[in-house]
Amino acid sequence: MSRQHSALVPRAPEPARPAVSVALLIAICLVAANLRTTLTGVGALLPEIEQGSGLTASWGGLLSTLPLLTFAATSPLVARASRRFGSARLLVAALGALAVGTVVRSLPSVVCLFAGTVILSAAIAFGNVLLPALIRQSVPAHRIQGVSALYVTVMGLMAAVSSGVSAPLAHTVPGSWRTALAWGVAFTVAALLAWLPRLRSDEPPPPAGAAHSPVPWRSRLAWQVTFFMGLQSLAFYTAVAWLPSILIDRGTSSTAAGWTLFSYQVVSLAASSLLPLLTRGRRDQRWTAAGASVLVAGGFTVLVTAPALSVLACTLLGLGGGACLVLALTFQSQRAGSSGEAAALAGMAQSIGYLVAAAGPLLLGILHDTTHSWTLPLTVLAVLGIATAVAGHGAGQDRHIAQPSR
């Protein structure tokens, strides 16, 4: 084996791929509708979950962190499993597991609450990794960012709806917050129905011993993509988990706090939808990624220095966070030279990235329990926003990762 080293290589000409079909777009969007719906409602319900189950703030932080830890543990397994079973088969299995985990989580038991969270999070991790690889395989290069933005928009829309309706549902339906945790299973069933017919056209697994793309551990660009993914995810999941609690501590009702979280995600949705239009034809995304990260840092700074301006803070967080998410997912496709490399890069970015992100909700819960204040936790998030800008500036280079020679 020749000496392995970190390298960047210019874009190589790519084989032509067919135009994107409407059926494929619908199927991708239905999967995207499930990738956050079962997670974001937890933040709006967390005060009631803690009260109803007796969990402390630290345990509540663990409940919010558990999906990210599961993402980190599960994501590296996806590329190998996809090569063995086929992407569509694997995705259908993951959707089935997501439905089971969602139902288990809503059962009247603290053990089921945590066990169901692990099951559904593992299923979502498979979807998170498979989508960039499927897009890289099925979509022409010039359409990758647009299709990525489309599924991020659907994902953000459903995340916002889940944040907004979960608390009102908990107050009106039998079973309170437990029932409110399970409403998203309807979208899981719809996604299953959309993907089952695609099993017939799923690519067969490669023969034993076929070459595959290794994880690009020695690529500097891959690490920049990974840390950008992780730090922007840390900001998002921490805000989703704790923003309602922060607002409630400052006198806001639980329903109003839930709708504030909804508005944050609506702004994020608008930013993710508009980004491809604003950056059309621009392959170098360094300053776009850095600027979006600075907006996120500014949002956390406003929450610390001017708590009364929570609407402004949520607007900054939404604008920056929505753009960062589209870029983070797009980089996992654009920075790869093939669908195999995209799966390998996505597995790396999402395993290490979500391990980084997992520190956010748990760290905030511990810091809040220790200081009895949100000042220090929010200050830490603002500083991490600047670190995100540095990683995003590197990840935004118009380059492909270089795989080591064998």
Side-chain angles (χ1 to χ4, degrees):
M1 182 183 295
S2 65
R3 183 178 180 179
Q4 298 182 353
H5 61 279
S6 177
L8 303 179
V9 296
R11 293 182 178 274
E14 301 177 19
R17 277 163 280 179
V20 184
S21 69
V22 174
L24 177 61
L25 288 178
I26 292 174
I28 288 174
C29 288
L30 283 173
V31 173
N34 286 278
L35 296 183
R36 281 188 173 175
T37 301
T38 55
L39 301 178
T40 55
V42 175
L45 295 171
L46 192 56
E48 296 181 41
I49 292 173
E50 291 175 350
Q51 183 178 2
S53 59
L55 298 178
T56 64
S58 296
W59 278 99
L62 178 60
L63 182 64
S64 300
T65 301
L66 195 55
L68 304 178
L69 293 173
T70 306
F71 290 170
T74 307
S75 296
L77 309 176
V78 181
R80 179 177 297 178
S82 178
R83 290 193 300 270
R84 181 174 181 181
F85 300 108
S87 298
R89 293 181 183 87
L90 194 60
L91 191 57
V92 166
L95 290 169
L98 176 57
V100 171
T102 303
V103 172
V104 169
R105 185 181 62 170
S106 66
L107 298 178
S109 164
V110 172
V111 173
C112 288
L113 176 65
F114 281 88
T117 298
V118 171
I119 295 171
L120 68 87
S121 300
I124 291 172
F126 274 76
N128 282 336
V129 175
L130 286 170
L131 272 185
L134 284 167
I135 289 173
R136 186 66 182 77
Q137 175 182 327
S138 307
V139 176
H142 68 280
R143 297 283 306 274
I144 285 177
Q145 188 177 44
V147 174
S148 297
L150 176 63
Y151 93 74
V152 168
T153 298
V154 173
M155 188 167 60
L157 176 62
M158 294 309 304
V161 170
S162 180
S163 297
V165 306
S166 292
L169 274 177
H171 298 154
T172 57
V173 298
S176 185
W177 57 267
R178 296 189 183 278
T179 304
L181 284 175
W183 73 275
V185 74
F187 291 96
T188 310
V189 173
L192 266 172
L193 294 176
W195 278 91
L196 281 172
R198 303 187 69 85
L199 290 179
R200 290 173 295 181
S201 60
D202 194 23
E203 293 184 1
H212 64 274
S213 299
V215 179
W217 297 116
R218 293 178 179 267
S219 168
R220 179 181 179 183
L221 178 58
W223 280 106
Q224 290 168 329
V225 171
T226 295
F227 281 115
F228 183 65
M229 176 68 189
L231 291 171
Q232 67 85 27
S233 294
L234 183 151
F236 172 80
Y237 284 104
T238 302
V240 167
W242 289 115
L243 185 58
S245 297
I246 294 170
L247 297 177
I248 289 171
D249 277 2
R250 292 170 176 173
T252 304
S253 69
S254 62
T255 298
W259 284 112
T260 300
L261 185 60
F262 170 82
S263 67
Y264 152 63
Q265 293 184 85
V266 167
V267 174
S268 176
L269 178 64
S272 63
S273 301
L274 292 174
L275 183 67
L277 300 177
L278 298 176
T279 60
R280 179 176 296 174
R282 186 184 306 166
R283 291 186 177 274
D284 191 310
Q285 305 281 3
R286 287 177 294 179
W287 292 108
T288 305
S293 303
V294 169
L295 288 178
V296 173
F300 287 124
T301 300
V302 170
L303 282 176
V304 174
T305 59
L309 300 178
S310 59
V311 173
L312 173 61
C314 289
T315 300
L316 293 173
L317 290 171
L319 288 172
C324 283
L325 177 59
V326 172
L327 293 169
L329 296 175
T330 300
F331 292 161
Q332 293 170 39
S333 297
Q334 285 184 333
R335 300 298 169 256
S338 67
S339 60
E341 287 184 5
L345 178 58
M348 174 182 173
Q350 296 191 34
S351 60
I352 304 299
Y354 282 126
L355 191 60
V356 171
L362 183 59
L363 178 62
L364 249 70
I366 293 173
L367 288 177
H368 179 256
D369 281 349
T370 302
T371 64
H372 304 289
S373 168
W374 292 108
T375 299
L376 179 60
L378 290 171
T379 301
V380 170
L381 290 175
V383 172
L384 289 176
I386 302 303
T388 310
V390 174
H393 186 269
Q397 301 172 76
D398 182 25
R399 298 281 184 172
H400 282 162
I401 60 172
Q403 295 290 0
S405 303
R406 296 195 139 212

